[in-house]
Amino acid sequence: MKVSSGREFYDDGYSDDEKEELENRLSFPQHRLYGRASEMEKLTLLFNNLGRAVTEDDPHPVPPFVVISGFAGAGKSTLVNNFARDLDDRAKQGRIEPFFFISGKHDERDERSDLPFSAIVRALETFFLQLMNEGNPEEIEKLRTSIQSAIGDEIQSLMEVVPGLTRFMNQGGTHPHDHDIAPKTDAWNQFQYLFQSLIKAISSAEFGRRTILFLDNIHLADETSLDLLSMFVRDKSMTHLMIICSIQSILEKNHPCMQCLEALEEESKVERIEVNNLSLDDMNNFVADALELDSKETLPLSKIVYDQTRGNMFFAMTFLEELHRNNILFLSVISFRWEWKLEAA
């Protein structure tokens, strides 16, 4: 097991303390989902249908638009990231064709989060950097050609907002600006068109790569970003693009994000996935894996964890850490295994 608490997969604000003693440390399973088989199956089915042929019954196949909702800590982001990781494993094994995964997050703790297009800019920055580091030179050149052909001379304007695009198009060259630059208000419509053209070039059928665009926490998005999302969803020509967004379940109906989704549902098919809290059985499997014990042994402890957290994964990890700090859950120096004192829990 990798030396990590594993909690960062459910809590983006958490970071491990590298100076902490690791031998007596509670570590949570990484890259494993619990109780999400049906959700993974639905995402996989939608991905497999990307780029399907036009038929008489379906002359304009709509790119899948998936909205994943759930309470904070339920594991929405973890679901999507594990879905992408599973597809990547299959691609490396030659079971499916390679694909692109572009992921960005609306984060209220980021001082740039209120800038227009902040999540898509961060997503593209990461995507181009990863592509330059890991991509095939021949495919990189092919994508450069596709982008240049789609955007033309206007690409210079987009480079002002996405410096990573500059480095990618110029084969690693630097750019004097940082990515906190926002377009002038009167140019937002033009930038929406440029972003749409860029995503279309990346996910084009001619290029041949199915593409997943994941925008996390869109309930924190500004209205300009929501307008851009709507443009992506309404563009029926992007048949190789799968759009996934995550939102929290506690939004009011008059929230801009909810109004945006309601308008899209009136004219497009929106696939809904609700990420609920775990069942007791799934929670017990998680606790057993975390403590590296048999699930029959951990069931009494798991019942307490479940009762305290109602199956929320993030709260469960927080509760187990609290038990560990209070020495209710501890690694025995005699048996060299995790033990606990239920009467103190």
Side-chain angles (χ1 to χ4, degrees), residues 259-270:
Q259 293 178 340
C260 172
L261 295 179
E262 184 179 349
L264 288 174
E265 283 187 307
E266 291 179 355
E267 55 189 272
S268 303
K269 183 173 178 58
V270 178

Side-chain angles (χ1 to χ4, degrees), residues 155-170:
I155 196 171
Q156 296 296 329
S157 299
L158 198 54
M159 287 176 176
E160 290 291 318
V161 183
V162 189
L165 177 61
T166 304
R167 293 186 287 270
F168 178 76
M169 298 300 290
N170 294 338

Side-chain angles (χ1 to χ4, degrees), residues 25-44:
R25 192 176 185 187
L26 185 61
S27 297
F28 299 116
Q30 299 179 35
H31 309 319
R32 179 171 179 183
L33 287 176
Y34 297 86
R36 305 293 182 228
S38 61
E39 292 87 345
M40 286 285 286
E41 183 178 355
K42 183 172 185 177
L43 289 171
T44 302

Side-chain angles (χ1 to χ4, degrees), residues 202-225:
I202 294 171
S203 63
S204 67
E206 290 77 12
F207 189 69
R209 282 281 188 105
R210 288 180 289 183
T211 301
I212 300 170
L213 174 63
F214 175 41
L215 298 177
D216 203 358
N217 287 347
I218 61 165
H219 52 279
L220 299 176
D222 61 280
E223 292 192 23
T224 307
S225 296

Side-chain angles (χ1 to χ4, degrees), residues 119-185:
I120 189 68
V121 167
R122 280 194 291 270
L124 290 169
E125 287 283 290
T126 303
F127 169 71
F128 286 124
L129 177 62
Q130 182 177 1
L131 201 57
M132 287 189 292
N133 290 336
E134 304 174 7
N136 179 286
E138 183 176 336
E139 291 190 344
I140 288 176
E141 187 57 38
K142 186 177 178 181
L143 181 56
R144 287 193 183 108
T145 302
S146 178
I147 292 173
Q148 185 65 57
S149 175
I151 303 179
D153 294 338
E154 292 179 299
I155 196 171
Q156 296 296 329
S157 299
L158 198 54
M159 287 176 176
E160 290 291 318
V161 183
V162 189
L165 177 61
T166 304
R167 293 186 287 270
F168 178 76
M169 298 300 290
N170 294 338
Q171 299 182 350
T174 58
H175 194 270
H177 299 297
D178 196 3
H179 61 283
D180 61 353
I181 296 175
K184 296 179 180 179
T185 302

Side-chain angles (χ1 to χ4, degrees), residues 82-143:
N82 274 271
F83 164 62
R85 189 176 295 109
D86 180 68
L87 291 178
D88 188 54
D89 289 341
R90 290 167 56 194
K92 290 176 180 177
Q93 296 167 7
R95 297 163 56 193
I96 63 172
E97 292 296 319
F99 68 100
F100 289 141
F101 180 57
I102 306 174
S103 175
K105 181 182 181 70
H106 294 279
D107 191 344
E108 58 189 350
R109 292 167 297 194
D110 190 328
E111 61 183 10
R112 298 161 298 183
S113 63
D114 58 344
L115 293 174
F117 318 121
S118 60
I120 189 68
V121 167
R122 280 194 291 270
L124 290 169
E125 287 283 290
T126 303
F127 169 71
F128 286 124
L129 177 62
Q130 182 177 1
L131 201 57
M132 287 189 292
N133 290 336
E134 304 174 7
N136 179 286
E138 183 176 336
E139 291 190 344
I140 288 176
E141 187 57 38
K142 186 177 178 181
L143 181 56

Side-chain angles (χ1 to χ4, degrees), residues 58-89:
D58 192 8
H60 300 291
V62 179
F65 176 44
V66 185
V67 176
I68 300 179
S69 56
F71 292 104
K76 301 181 294 295
S77 305
T78 303
L79 170 65
V80 178
N81 289 326
N82 274 271
F83 164 62
R85 189 176 295 109
D86 180 68
L87 291 178
D88 188 54
D89 289 341

